[in-house]
Amino acid sequence: MKTYGGYLIDLDGTMYRGTERIEDASRFVHYLAEKNIPYLFVTNNSSQPPELVAKKLNEFDILATEDRVFTTSQATANFIAQKKANASVYMIGEEGLKQALQSSGLQLVDENPDFVVTGIDRELSYEKLAKACIAVRNGAAFISTNADIAIPTERGLLPGNGALTSVVSVSTNTKPIFIGKPEKIIVEQAIQVLGMDQDKVIMVGDNYDTDIKAGMNCGLDTLLVHTGVTTKVHLERYEQKPTYSVDSLTDYLNLLHS
Amino acid sequence: MKTYGGYLIDLDGTMYRGTERIEDASRFVHYLAEKNIPYLFVTNNSSQPPELVAKKLNEFDILATEDRVFTTSQATANFIAQKKANASVYMIGEEGLKQALQSSGLQLVDENPDFVVTGIDRELSYEKLAKACIAVRNGAAFISTNADIAIPTERGLLPGNGALTSVVSVSTNTKPIFIGKPEKIIVEQAIQVLGMDQDKVIMVGDNYDTDIKAGMNCGLDTLLVHTGVTTKVHLERYEQKPTYSVDSLTDYLNLLHS
């Protein structure tokens, strides 16, 4: 069985399930840490800064530090800063996006921005959407952290950033550039953070449409774990299969050692 | 030239332009009133109750009373009440929609509604969208007052209800039933309010994609006036022309008398 030099790992559904621990995930990451195999958590959740994501992972007994977390907010900030250093940005989003943009030297403004960025925002208002629409109509480049249409919560599936983004795209008739999985942008950056050739890297996740497609889009091997969104039955519908699919990450460790 | 027994008349762009009076519109409506020709203002704006719409029209020197105004909120409320009397409704919207739903005997609820209705709401919040998504996923019928993607204001084009509605439709993967122009639903009801056969009724408006299409969809004759959205140049793009197109409603009166 092929061994990998680095792992890109999804969070919700892969490392934990909402507020529920996944024992096999904890065991898997401990294994990587023991073997000194580099890994990076790659998340479409733009709301929290890396240190809070790492803290949450630690509470689920997953070994994680801030520098092992790569969020779509960071990827978005990098993407914009590469297009235009010190660009002005009008942002809809939460603390994780705000911090990422500011850390990349971008200027948060209310009017006449170079870029409009939309991320999940539980304090969304009509006024925020209005400002975004005006700016996009005035020519600002339109970026969205991710296209996820729903967020799983204890209350059910709530609107995800892809759904919120649609207000601006429908109203202005302008499609945004999406940064998060399944897009290549976030994964290409994550591979750079790992500092490794892509043929040594594998993408691990529970969601075929985001995690696995993101890996495939970048030519990575992929590992689908059936602890979240994509069940075995769902997987049958897809023609292109992941490199591996397992019921749990313990099963993957067993495969590695067989 | 054919004369009509009743007129369905659009508001913004036809009777006034934002906060600006249209002299020819005032003259046109005075003519209808003098001749005792029935007319009804038909608007996709769900935010205001009919008496406030009439008041605004009076300020522009347009003869209007509450019972000459028919809003998409009224059409929406009628539509739901016909589907299910006393139905429970979770609403996103403003005062005009709220009053219309309550006047039709519908019950406004926060959870487990029979129907979810979205109308323009300048107090929109993530929580309101979340409740709508949960209800639609739980099987509530999904209705939207209108599909307009933008609202013209002094600040520019702000998000319209069609754009706000897309959050729920994208997140739940469920298309709403739209009530307003260019849909037939609002116009068929408006014809009933006029109490007249459709071949005696003409639809008047400035917007080909909403007003004129709505009229055509119901088999009405149509009058496009170039005082708003659809210019002469725009009109060239459309294969199916309105019955009449004029630069101003005074020009239409002159046609009538020629």
Side-chain angles (χ1 to χ4, degrees):
Chain A
M1 169 132 177
K2 180 170 174 183
T3 55
Y4 295 90
Y7 286 74
L8 300 179
I9 308 172
D10 173 57
L11 294 182
D12 202 357
T14 305
M15 290 291 105
Y16 53 82
R17 211 161 18 221
T19 55
E20 192 190 330
R21 214 182 130 181
I22 300 180
E23 184 92 23
D24 303 290
S26 167
R27 191 175 302 133
F28 170 70
V29 176
H30 274 93
Y31 166 83
L32 297 179
E34 271 169 31
K35 298 286 182 186
N36 278 317
I37 300 171
Y39 58 93
L40 185 65
F41 299 106
V42 179
T43 177
N44 271 6
N45 186 338
S46 68
S47 66
Q48 293 187 323
E51 64 269 27
L52 286 185
V53 176
K55 188 161 168 276
K56 181 174 181 181
L57 283 166
N58 292 336
E59 286 163 8
F60 288 119
D61 196 24
I62 306 282
L63 292 170
T65 50
E66 186 178 338
D67 59 342
R68 289 205 187 266
V69 172
F70 193 66
T71 73
T72 191
S73 289
Q74 295 169 281
T76 299
N78 291 342
F79 179 83
I80 294 173
Q82 280 164 18
K83 293 273 180 201
K84 183 176 178 184
N86 308 312
S88 60
V89 176
Y90 176 70
M91 174 200 100
I92 294 177
E94 299 185 5
E95 193 57 28
L97 183 55
K98 187 178 170 191
Q99 285 191 20
L101 295 170
Q102 289 176 327
S103 300
S104 293
L106 302 167
Q107 312 303 317
L108 299 184
V109 299
D110 241 30
E111 286 183 338
N112 301 316
D114 299 318
F115 293 82
V116 166
V117 177
T118 54
I120 186 77
D121 187 342
R122 266 72 59 110
E123 301 290 327
L124 187 72
S125 67
Y126 184 83
E127 179 58 19
K128 289 183 182 181
L129 293 165
K131 283 181 180 161
C133 286
I134 290 170
V136 170
R137 285 186 184 271
N138 285 341
F142 179 24
I143 316 284
S144 177
T145 57
N146 64 301
D148 300 25
I149 61 171
I151 308 175
T153 73
E154 310 84 62
R155 294 171 66 194
L157 290 168
L158 303 192
N161 183 54
L164 305 185
T165 299
S166 69
V167 175
V168 183
S169 55
V170 167
S171 187
T172 64
N173 205 14
T174 306
K175 284 201 198 311
I177 295 173
F178 286 110
I179 303 295
K181 299 173 282 184
E183 302 301 324
K184 291 165 74 167
I185 299 172
I186 190 173
V187 177
E188 286 175 343
Q189 288 190 28
I191 293 169
Q192 283 190 342
V193 172
L194 273 183
M196 206 166 284
D197 289 345
Q198 66 171 48
D199 61 352
K200 297 201 172 64
V201 177
I202 184 168
M203 177 80 213
V204 184
D206 69 298
N207 187 327
Y208 187 99
D209 291 324
T210 53
D211 306 317
I212 302 306
K213 277 196 180 158
M216 289 172 171
N217 286 339
C218 290
L220 299 186
D221 280 3
T222 54
L223 166 58
L224 177 67
V225 57
H226 294 303
T227 47
V229 170
T230 307
T231 64
K232 278 185 182 172
V233 175
H234 287 145
L235 183 58
E236 285 170 16
R237 290 187 219 146
Y238 294 96
E239 198 163 321
Q240 192 184 353
K241 304 297 181 198
T243 317
Y244 316 96
S245 57
V246 292
D247 286 332
S248 74
L249 289 170
T250 300
D251 286 1
Y252 175 71
L253 291 180
N254 291 337
L255 270 180
L256 267 186
H257 299 129
S258 62
Chain B
M1 170 133 174
K2 180 170 174 182
T3 56
Y4 296 90
Y7 286 74
L8 300 178
I9 308 172
D10 173 56
L11 294 182
D12 202 357
T14 305
M15 289 292 105
Y16 52 83
R17 212 163 15 221
T19 55
E20 193 190 328
R21 213 182 131 183
I22 299 181
E23 184 92 23
D24 304 289
S26 167
R27 190 176 301 132
F28 170 70
V29 177
H30 274 93
Y31 166 83
L32 296 179
E34 272 169 31
K35 298 284 182 189
N36 278 318
I37 300 170
Y39 58 93
L40 186 65
F41 299 106
V42 179
T43 176
N44 272 5
N45 186 340
S46 68
S47 67
Q48 291 187 324
E51 64 267 28
L52 286 186
V53 176
K55 188 162 169 275
K56 181 174 181 181
L57 284 166
N58 292 337
E59 287 163 6
F60 288 118
D61 196 24
I62 306 281
L63 292 171
T65 51
E66 186 179 338
D67 59 342
R68 288 207 187 266
V69 173
F70 193 65
T71 73
T72 191
S73 289
Q74 295 168 281
T76 300
N78 291 343
F79 179 83
I80 294 173
Q82 282 164 17
K83 293 274 180 201
K84 184 177 178 184
N86 307 312
S88 61
V89 176
Y90 176 69
M91 173 199 100
I92 295 177
E94 299 186 5
E95 192 56 29
L97 183 55
K98 187 179 170 191
Q99 286 191 19
L101 295 170
Q102 288 176 328
S103 301
S104 294
L106 303 168
Q107 313 302 317
L108 299 184
V109 299
D110 241 30
E111 286 182 338
N112 301 315
D114 300 318
F115 292 82
V116 165
V117 177
T118 54
I120 186 77
D121 188 343
R122 266 72 58 110
E123 300 290 326
L124 187 71
S125 68
Y126 184 84
E127 180 58 21
K128 288 183 182 181
L129 294 165
K131 283 181 180 161
C133 286
I134 289 171
V136 169
R137 284 185 184 272
N138 286 340
F142 179 25
I143 316 285
S144 177
T145 57
N146 64 301
D148 299 28
I149 60 170
I151 309 174
T153 73
E154 310 84 62
R155 294 170 66 194
L157 290 168
L158 303 192
N161 182 54
L164 304 185
T165 299
S166 69
V167 175
V168 183
S169 55
V170 167
S171 187
T172 64
N173 206 13
T174 306
K175 284 200 197 314
I177 296 172
F178 286 109
I179 303 295
K181 299 173 282 183
E183 302 301 324
K184 291 165 75 167
I185 299 173
I186 191 172
V187 177
E188 286 174 344
Q189 288 191 28
I191 294 168
Q192 283 190 343
V193 173
L194 273 183
M196 206 167 287
D197 290 343
Q198 66 170 49
D199 61 352
K200 297 200 173 65
V201 177
I202 184 168
M203 177 80 213
V204 184
D206 69 299
N207 187 327
Y208 187 100
D209 292 324
T210 55
D211 306 317
I212 302 307
K213 278 196 180 158
M216 289 172 171
N217 287 339
C218 290
L220 301 185
D221 280 3
T222 53
L223 166 59
L224 178 66
V225 57
H226 295 303
T227 47
V229 169
T230 307
T231 63
K232 278 184 183 173
V233 175
H234 287 145
L235 182 58
E236 285 171 16
R237 292 186 216 145
Y238 293 97
E239 198 163 322
Q240 192 184 353
K241 304 296 181 198
T243 318
Y244 315 97
S245 57
V246 292
D247 286 332
S248 74
L249 289 170
T250 301
D251 286 359
Y252 174 72
L253 292 179
N254 291 337
L255 269 180
L256 267 187
H257 298 130
S258 65

